[in-house]
Amino acid sequence: SMNLQKCKSGPVDLIFIIDSSRSVRPHEFETMRKFMIDIIHTLDMEANATRVGVVQYSSQVQNEFSLKTHGKLQGMVKGINEIVPLAQGTMTGLAIKYVMNHAFTAAEGDRPKVPNVAVIVTDGRPQDRVVEVAAEARDKGIEIYAVGVARADLTSLRAMASPPIEDHVFLVESFDLIYQFGLQFQDKLCGMDLCLESDHGCEHLCESSPRSFHCLCLPGYTLNEDGKTCKVIDLCAEGKHDCEQICIASPGAFICDCSAGFKLHDDKKTCTNLCNTVEHGCEHQCISTPDSYYCICPEGQLLAEDGKGCRTCRSANIDLVLLIDGSKSVRPQNFELVKQFVNQVVDSLDVSAHGTRVGLVQYSSHVRTEFALKMYEKTDDIKKAVMNVEYMEKGTMTGLALKHMMENSFSEAEGARKNIPRVGLVFTDGRSQDDITEWAKKAKEEGITMYAVGVGKAMEDELREIASEPLDKHFFYTTDFTFINQIAENLKLNVCAEESQGEIEVKDPCACESLVEFQQATMSTLEQLKTKHILLYTALVH
């Protein structure tokens, strides 16, 4: 046997392509068998470094075992010993094609980034073309060794082998000398600088030694147990630092830092709470926490995006349609108050082509669009248009108005946008003369957030039917027109895009939940005003 010591050849995916045509005599086939077994004995099978597959061919190709079949040497040896020669023609090209397209595939156990080596052992001349197929296989990165025995044709061996030819073509006079190839083959695989020519896996540095290598780490790092990867020498973790709050390690060194809300002193070690310094930047008030700080704003204001400034809330991007009652019970001077109410609501919105759009519809016995959503892009233009609205002075067809809102006002033709929350606000002072149930229900089913504002004799049950849930945020009522401005105050904080029906990132500067919502406080103010008004009214009557 060839007394070759095992070498660290680096991982290889190796396939033997064995000629078993009828001209290979039985004792010669046995020598081939022994040759394969000897070679694999010299290769490093540990940890799956080398994988071996065997294919024999004559007139057809027969896969004996794949790269993935055997993980251990004894399995391969057994597989090689069980090969039964085919003993027909010599289709070498077919065999190379098979190895290229099937044997060296991931499905058969071929590994990415691991060299592919094919060793063709043949005694004869191919009966098919090998030049093109072999070239294609080499282009695909397969390194081909051609071992010719006895009557082999040198020209076809050279056509198959990889360059440099002198390292890859072996002609042996008889099968008994085949092991000489084994020696050279092994030297070829083992004689390389493993740092340069193998996938050594060292994270930082690789140092070669004869037939081997070892890994090293850069200064400030130390080698892990796996002998390949490096870890930082972490002075922070080892407690070799004097930082008061935060230690940031760099290889073999460290620097100190402070938590949010603290500032590093000139000693570069200790920290000061920022609320005690002028640098916290809070517009209104700075609140310390154990390891940081945060800013707060006065009642009724919200923190700006920078977490420091304060501002009043603007609404999100919405499409808002206001339906105002122009029936004769409203009376001309009250209709002017309604217009002022509308403008107060408009003032609280962020009106722009991409922000909030506003449309206005007036209704009495019939319905009229005063301006569509797409009409104006500036708050001032809307307010001017509102003040120019002329009073209709007829009946109260609220149902018809809701139908008009659904079918016209929220259409894309009039400027309603896809995936932008839709909000409807109905303002009325009386009972509707037509049925509102059907259209009030439809509006909510289509995801429109409905607000209902009633004044004077307006029917509460009707308004509740129009308003979205929860009612305390969407339904408002006052006894007298002079108090509707109170409602505008509360309303503007609620026109918020929480019910966005689309998949939309609502660009809402005020997150809905942090809105200063319509609160009990306001309800009670209204109650008191109402009571006062009734008392006053009673006093006047008596």
Side-chain angles (χ1 to χ4, degrees), residues 405-424:
M405 173 189 81
M406 295 288 293
E407 291 177 349
N408 302 93
S409 310
F410 283 122
S411 66
E412 287 185 43
E414 292 207 0
R417 295 162 292 177
K418 281 196 175 73
N419 293 340
I420 294 282
R422 296 179 175 183
V423 179

Side-chain angles (χ1 to χ4, degrees), residues 213-320:
F213 68 90
H214 60 272
C215 300
L216 302 172
C217 292
L218 295 165
Y221 293 81
T222 174
L223 204 59
N224 284 321
E225 268 83 77
D226 63 11
K228 289 178 187 267
T229 58
C230 297
K231 65 167 180 272
V232 168
I233 296 170
D234 186 343
L235 295 177
C236 291
E238 295 165 16
K240 298 179 180 155
H241 70 89
D242 48 4
C243 301
E244 185 186 336
Q245 286 186 354
I246 297 171
C247 175
I248 299 169
S250 59
F254 69 90
I255 52 168
C256 300
D257 195 8
C258 296
S259 306
F262 288 82
K263 181 173 179 254
L264 198 61
H265 274 145
D266 293 340
D267 64 10
K268 299 278 178 258
K269 289 170 189 175
T270 59
C271 302
T272 317
N273 181 316
L274 278 179
C275 273
N276 307 335
T277 71
V278 288
E279 290 157 47
H280 59 73
C282 295
E283 184 180 322
H284 179 68
Q285 199 182 334
C286 179
I287 305 283
S288 283
T289 63
D291 60 352
S292 183
Y293 75 97
Y294 61 93
C295 302
I296 59 167
C297 288
E299 189 76 31
Q301 287 192 27
L302 289 170
L303 207 53
E305 282 89 341
D306 64 5
K308 297 185 174 183
C310 297
R311 54 174 176 66
T312 52
C313 181
R314 308 292 272 175
S315 78
N317 299 350
I318 55 171
D319 283 341
L320 171 66

Side-chain angles (χ1 to χ4, degrees), residues 423-425 449-453 464 467-476 487 490-496 498-499 512-520 523:
V423 179
L425 185 149
T449 304
M450 293 300 296
Y451 288 83
V453 178
R464 286 172 184 279
S468 294
E469 296 288 335
L471 287 177
D472 66 340
K473 288 188 194 170
H474 298 91
F475 161 61
F476 303 89
I487 286 176
N490 299 316
L491 195 63
K492 69 180 181 191
L493 299 178
N494 280 304
V495 179
C496 184
E498 55 209 320
E499 290 97 6
C512 290
E513 47 276 16
S514 61
L515 287 179
V516 190
E517 305 266 35
F518 178 63
Q519 287 149 338
Q520 280 324 106
M523 284 300 267

